[in-house]
Amino acid sequence: MAGHFEATPGGGAAVALDEVEIAILRSLAVQLLELIGPGDEPAEGADPLAALFAEGPSEPPTDPALARLFPEAYGDEDSELRAASAEFRRFTENDLRTRKRDDALAVVRTLDALTVAGDGSAVLELTGDECRNWLGALNDLRLTIGTRLEVSDQDGGESDSSLYRLPDTDPRKPMVMAYLWLGALQETLVETLMP
């Protein structure tokens, strides 16, 4: 189980982690929460129905990582598509941000609930719902780090393979290692959930 998820009875999954891995995962999830931003909680006494129909932003984020997490729905080739994307964003981005925030919070909470043994290790056991939260958060973390590393879907995997060849002195190396490790965790978690 070391380093990869394994299926557990009831549709969950488990993975053995050490203290350093726990700290890295927690730190990355907290950074993701900071990037996504706080939720817009309705004021006390506010109409909950009005909050349900609150409109979100119509402009895409300027931060490339946020733009990757909250992409244009229809592209931006022409003004008609830009208008449709803005309309779509207005009515969906708040809910998407809430879901991404909930996923990252689930990661932090499950990691905080771990009991680390004397040897510095712990076994993280997730329910089926927690697995889905973790999958969402792992995906969002990889998208964010990949954007910062300028990994592109358009290059046919060339940037991914060049990441493996970075010298240890390259300042991007720790981020690359996290990116690759998160990918391995995500892959094994997906495999545990497949029928």
Side-chain angles (χ1 to χ4, degrees):
M1 181 185 323
H4 63 275
F5 279 97
E6 292 183 4
T8 59
V15 63
L17 300 169
D18 64 33
E19 286 178 297
V20 173
E21 293 168 328
I22 294 166
I24 291 169
L25 284 166
R26 189 180 192 290
S27 174
L28 290 172
V30 168
Q31 289 176 54
L32 180 62
L33 285 165
E34 290 169 356
L35 178 66
I36 293 169
D40 295 329
E41 298 297 323
E44 191 171 322
D47 179 8
L49 191 57
L52 181 65
F53 292 104
E55 293 181 10
S58 60
E59 293 297 317
T62 56
D63 181 310
L66 282 174
R68 184 70 175 103
L69 291 175
F70 306 104
E72 289 292 333
Y74 305 109
D76 59 358
E77 291 81 35
D78 64 42
S79 61
E80 198 172 298
L81 290 177
R82 276 194 301 275
S85 284
E87 189 75 1
F88 185 80
R89 180 179 300 281
R90 249 180 57 218
F91 294 108
T92 61
E93 187 170 314
N94 286 345
D95 288 340
L96 187 55
R97 280 183 184 267
T98 297
R99 186 181 55 76
K100 290 179 180 299
R101 195 177 300 106
D102 290 347
D103 290 345
L105 278 170
V107 169
V108 171
R109 288 180 179 133
T110 55
L111 292 171
D112 286 351
L114 283 177
T115 302
V116 178
D119 65 354
S121 67
V123 175
L124 174 68
E125 294 187 29
L126 302 175
T127 65
D129 287 340
E130 290 169 337
C131 287
R132 285 181 279 290
N133 291 127
W134 268 73
L135 276 176
L138 289 171
N139 187 62
D140 291 342
L141 287 168
R142 289 194 76 239
L143 287 173
T144 302
I145 294 171
T147 301
R148 299 288 191 235
L149 292 170
E150 298 178 352
V151 173
S152 167
D153 294 336
Q154 313 305 320
D155 62 17
E158 288 177 30
S159 60
D160 269 354
S161 63
S162 68
L163 295 178
Y164 289 105
R165 296 187 299 275
L166 282 179
D168 289 343
T169 56
D170 191 305
R172 298 172 296 165
K173 187 73 172 200
M175 230 177 11
V176 168
M177 298 305 292
Y179 176 78
L180 297 172
W181 176 55
L182 291 170
L185 282 176
Q186 184 180 21
E187 183 178 349
T188 62
L189 184 53
V190 167
E191 288 170 357
T192 66
L193 299 177
M194 293 179 74

